[in-house]
Amino acid sequence: MSEEMNQVEVRNFEVGDRIKGQVTKVEEKQVIVNIEASKLDGIIPISELSSIHVEKANDVVAEGDELDLEVTKVEEDALILSKRKVDAEKAWDELEKKFVSGEVFEAEIKDVVKGGLVVDLGVRGFVPASLVEARFVEDFTDYKGRTLTFKIVELDKEKNRLILSHRAVIEEEKGKHKLDLLQTLHAGQVLDGTVQRITDFGAFVDIGGIDGLVHISQLSHEHVEKPSDVVEEGQKVRVKVLSVDRDNERISLSIKETLPGPWASIGEKAPKGSVLTGVVKRLVSYGAFVELYPGVEGLVHISQISHKHIATPHEVLKEGQEVQVKVLEVNEQDQRLSLSIKELEEKESEFPTDYELPEESKGFQLGEMIGDQLKNLKK
């Protein structure tokens, strides 16, 4: 077409007109399109191809693509066009609907920039670093090209501002899962979990999207001074559900209830007739309670403390004293042990050690007795 005819064709268009064009050539910094219903070509500068920064035009379009375009400038023999403006106008309408409804949608990460991620939704969408994940991420390099789910958290068409959040989607899903889990949990369940956080009063354990508290008294059968003495963050544990408060979303758990009790297999650890070392824990009028293993105490009845007659156990024992005992009876079911200290002590002589000679024998000397015997022999 002659230059004169081109000029005539061009004068048929005005800035703001919407047209359709087919890509005939993709250059590095611009795209040539043939305008529908005319023999006129138009030019799309690379800056007008997308709402986000583009390095090469062929990253966005290819030869043969049909495009909706807007005239941005009418030159003497050519039209300057924009794909970006048409895409943006269509996009804002759709984005406003998504924003109002809270819709969750997928989008590809087009670029990683300082402070966050960039998404092309017909307009430039920005995902601040704090809204990418529910956890801290140090390096977002490998996020480019990934497809994530998003919600729009801020939209201002006038300021061309669109803020997206993937974190909001994660937390919403977590919240739904938490509610579902709360409905299915019940006291008595035994579950696997992971220690998330340790406090002075216990440990919080994640049991699949929701945390429950293992109070310090439920960490072990033994006395625990500090929770960190028996568990650590990240540790896999087995827990039993003690109670579920759905209204306040509180779950009480126990690790202790999943562990063998201190009395389990006590018949093997302290069989009848065995001799063990223990510590006197309590003294009562009828005997002494001796701890053989953590959480396992046996009774030494007052009659089994000593061969001597004693009025109270306090006469020969004191709390905290280490003693040797013999196991007399074992009752694992009733958690009872009968012990004896007396059986390990030698019986005292049948004769009293403080025996005195009769009064009439006192003052009698050994030499005198021998002398008398000698006199009798001479006779």
Side-chain angles (χ1 to χ4, degrees):
M1 183 180 284
S2 68
E3 186 175 323
E4 187 178 332
M5 289 185 70
N6 270 352
Q7 290 173 349
V8 173
E9 286 275 351
V10 165
R11 284 198 292 271
N12 291 331
F13 295 93
E14 293 180 357
V15 173
D17 284 352
R18 292 292 178 86
I19 61 173
K20 286 186 180 293
Q22 184 175 37
V23 178
T24 56
K25 188 177 183 183
V26 180
E27 298 177 353
E28 188 177 349
K29 297 298 179 183
Q30 65 180 21
V31 174
I32 309 301
V33 297
N34 177 250
I35 296 165
E36 192 180 73
S38 78
K39 295 181 180 179
L40 193 65
D41 284 341
I43 299 168
I44 310 172
I46 193 169
S47 61
E48 291 298 323
L49 280 173
S50 173
S51 62
I52 65 171
H53 176 71
V54 176
E55 289 290 340
K56 295 181 292 182
N58 59 13
D59 288 340
V60 182
V61 295
E63 286 187 19
D65 287 353
E66 295 280 350
L67 306 176
D68 289 320
L69 305 163
E70 182 177 314
V71 178
T72 59
K73 192 175 183 182
V74 179
E75 296 188 342
E76 284 189 8
D77 58 352
L79 295 176
I80 307 302
L81 307 167
S82 174
K83 174 180 180 292
R84 177 182 64 81
K85 286 192 173 184
V86 177
D87 289 346
E89 194 166 318
K90 289 179 182 176
W92 281 117
D93 291 339
E94 288 301 314
L95 292 168
E96 283 176 346
K97 291 175 185 175
K98 284 180 167 65
F99 182 47
V100 171
S101 66
E103 181 184 334
V104 174
F105 55 90
E106 289 187 342
E108 183 185 340
I109 308 300
K110 292 294 186 182
D111 203 3
V112 176
V113 296
K114 184 179 180 181
L117 311 175
V118 175
V119 175
D120 183 10
L121 295 170
V123 296
R124 181 182 186 273
F126 182 62
V127 191
S130 61
L131 298 183
V132 178
E133 302 286 359
R135 54 184 170 79
F136 174 74
V137 178
E138 189 170 346
D139 185 8
F140 290 101
T141 306
D142 63 349
Y143 276 69
K144 188 173 182 177
R146 285 176 60 183
T147 297
L148 298 177
T149 49
F150 295 102
K151 284 185 77 172
I152 299 171
V153 293
E154 190 178 336
L155 182 148
D156 190 332
K157 185 177 178 181
E158 297 301 317
K159 295 180 180 178
N160 202 37
R161 183 177 172 81
L162 181 68
I163 305 297
L164 310 175
S165 174
H166 176 59
R167 178 179 176 173
V169 178
I170 295 171
E171 290 178 344
E172 187 176 280
E173 289 174 350
K174 189 177 179 181
K176 287 177 182 175
H177 178 70
K178 185 176 180 179
L179 288 174
D180 291 342
L181 190 57
L182 273 170
Q183 295 306 313
T184 58
L185 279 177
H186 58 81
Q189 275 181 290
V190 177
L191 307 164
D192 291 318
T194 305
V195 178
Q196 291 294 310
R197 190 161 51 93
I198 296 173
T199 67
D200 291 339
F201 53 85
F204 286 93
V205 175
D206 177 7
I207 50 174
I210 189 170
D211 288 352
L213 173 66
V214 181
H215 188 266
I216 190 169
S217 62
Q218 292 296 327
L219 286 171
S220 172
H221 287 290
E222 299 177 31
H223 175 70
V224 177
E225 288 288 342
K226 294 185 300 180
S228 56
D229 290 340
V230 288
V231 289
E232 59 184 24
E233 288 184 8
Q235 183 180 339
K236 302 293 182 185
V237 291
R238 201 148 177 80
V239 293
K240 183 177 181 179
V241 179
L242 299 181
S243 65
V244 181
D245 182 348
R246 293 184 176 84
D247 293 334
N248 296 303
E249 297 184 2
R250 289 179 184 168
I251 302 163
S252 295
L253 305 171
S254 174
I255 292 175
K256 179 173 78 173
E257 296 260 335
T258 67
L259 302 173
W263 285 86
S265 306
I266 195 65
E268 296 174 18
K269 293 188 286 186
K272 184 176 179 178
S274 61
V275 176
L276 302 166
T277 300
V279 176
V280 177
K281 283 293 184 180
R282 286 177 297 137
L283 294 174
V284 290
S285 60
Y286 52 87
F289 285 94
V290 175
E291 184 180 63
L292 299 181
Y293 300 101
V296 176
E297 292 181 5
L299 174 65
V300 181
H301 190 268
I302 192 170
S303 63
Q304 290 295 328
I305 291 176
S306 174
H307 287 290
K308 295 179 185 179
H309 172 73
I310 57 174
T312 69
H314 296 79
E315 291 179 28
V316 289
L317 297 174
K318 60 182 179 180
E319 291 180 0
Q321 181 181 341
E322 192 173 273
V323 292
Q324 274 205 318
V325 293
K326 182 177 181 180
V327 179
L328 302 180
E329 294 292 339
V330 184
N331 188 329
E332 186 174 323
Q333 187 175 348
D334 295 335
Q335 297 186 355
R336 285 182 183 175
L337 280 174
S338 294
L339 309 173
S340 175
I341 294 173
K342 182 174 77 174
E343 293 225 356
L344 300 177
E345 293 179 347
E346 287 187 21
K347 228 175 181 182
E348 294 181 356
S349 170
E350 294 294 333
F351 303 100
T353 57
D354 55 353
Y355 176 78
E356 290 187 359
L357 290 170
E359 194 65 37
E360 57 270 21
S361 299
K362 285 184 180 179
F364 217 64
Q365 296 299 314
L366 183 62
E368 292 175 334
M369 291 175 66
I370 295 172
D372 289 346
Q373 290 295 328
L374 288 170
K375 287 176 184 178
N376 291 334
L377 285 173
K378 287 177 180 178
K379 287 179 184 181

